[in-house]
Amino acid sequence: MSTYLPSPRPDDTIWGSIQQAEQIIPGVWSVSTSSHGGFILSDQRQAAMPEALSLPGPSYEEDCDWALPVLAFEQEFRSAPGTLKGWIELAHDTARCWHPDRYGQFTGVPVEENQSHILRDRNAYKAAIGKLEVTSAWGSWASWVPEGKTGVVAHQIDSVNHLARPTHTGQAVYALVDAEAYKTRSSVCILDDLPHEIIETPEDMRPKQIA
């Protein structure tokens, strides 16, 4: 028998007003709003979340974070009636991909790079610290981009966090790269990996002076 108590329906969410809500196991509400949704845990459930899987608040959004409570309370999901047990394999796959550090710490099974795009991108960023990453691009429809080229702006990678989100430093660097080569770029697009020509800041991209 579960030692967790049912909890009242949440009044609101960090994603907006609730349109639908269902308590899928005691103390775990699945909610949806007009724009997003996820799981909201009761105080009792949140306190019981393993440290490796626990987020700072009781909200676990529906794209990736929902998998963390499913892993934490996996036995209850396995024994629940209906379709809940079918979420378990997907939860493992989702956590491996989006939360590789948390998953490895909780399960004791290290996540391989080919199982997690977060891990792949994070390692790629670490290897490219100090290099220029392409952060924006324009096609030949832009006045400063010739046919057959893609205009790009690149910034130097300074660091990367556990979610593979980089920080950049320094001035923007503008360049022209081969349009076909740009189509085959990797998810972490390093300027030096593409044939390119560095150019002056295009007139269209310069700050306008106020008279």
Side-chain angles (χ1 to χ4, degrees):
M1 294 289 292
S2 171
T3 59
Y4 297 98
L5 300 175
S7 59
R9 183 183 189 272
D11 294 325
D12 203 357
T13 79
I14 61 174
W15 310 295
S17 298
I18 294 175
Q19 292 186 336
Q20 292 183 314
E22 178 187 4
Q23 190 163 203
I24 53 176
I25 59 176
V28 178
W29 283 84
S30 176
V31 302
S32 62
T33 73
S34 60
S35 61
H36 207 54
F39 291 167
I40 297 180
L41 275 56
S42 67
D43 291 345
Q44 186 186 24
R45 286 284 185 181
Q46 178 66 5
M49 283 289 289
E51 183 178 356
L53 302 179
S54 180
L55 298 183
S59 302
Y60 293 75
E61 59 84 30
E62 64 189 3
D63 291 336
C64 310
D65 296 343
W66 68 273
L68 302 178
V70 175
L71 295 185
F73 308 114
E74 181 172 335
Q75 291 307 312
E76 287 181 71
F77 278 86
R78 284 192 183 278
S79 59
T83 61
L84 294 186
K85 60 176 65 70
W87 297 5
I88 294 169
E89 183 176 352
L90 180 58
H92 278 271
D93 290 342
T94 300
R96 270 192 296 262
C97 181
W98 289 95
H99 294 288
D101 298 329
R102 291 179 180 276
Y103 186 87
Q105 183 180 347
F106 177 68
T107 64
V109 180
V111 177
E112 300 294 332
E113 191 173 288
N114 64 2
Q115 296 176 303
S116 170
H117 79 88
I118 292 288
L119 201 55
R120 289 196 300 273
D121 286 355
R122 191 172 67 196
N123 289 341
Y125 276 121
K126 285 181 179 179
I129 286 176
K131 296 182 180 180
L132 293 169
E133 180 195 13
V134 173
T135 53
S136 301
W138 292 258
S140 57
W141 46 264
S143 62
W144 56 280
V145 180
E147 288 293 331
K149 298 290 186 180
T150 297
V152 302
V153 61
H155 293 84
Q156 182 175 301
I157 299 169
D158 182 58
S159 63
V160 61
N161 70 8
H162 67 289
L163 294 176
R165 293 172 182 161
T167 57
H168 299 92
T169 190
Q171 297 294 316
V173 174
Y174 287 85
L176 297 174
V177 304
D178 180 80
E180 291 302 314
Y182 185 73
K183 290 179 182 178
T184 63
R185 68 193 182 278
S186 60
S187 58
V188 178
C189 183
I190 303 304
L191 185 60
D192 283 346
D193 292 342
L194 300 169
H196 66 277
E197 171 195 355
I198 293 178
I199 61 174
E200 296 290 333
T201 303
E203 184 68 31
D204 292 353
M205 310 303 292
R206 294 176 185 172
K208 306 298 183 187
Q209 291 190 354
I210 300 176

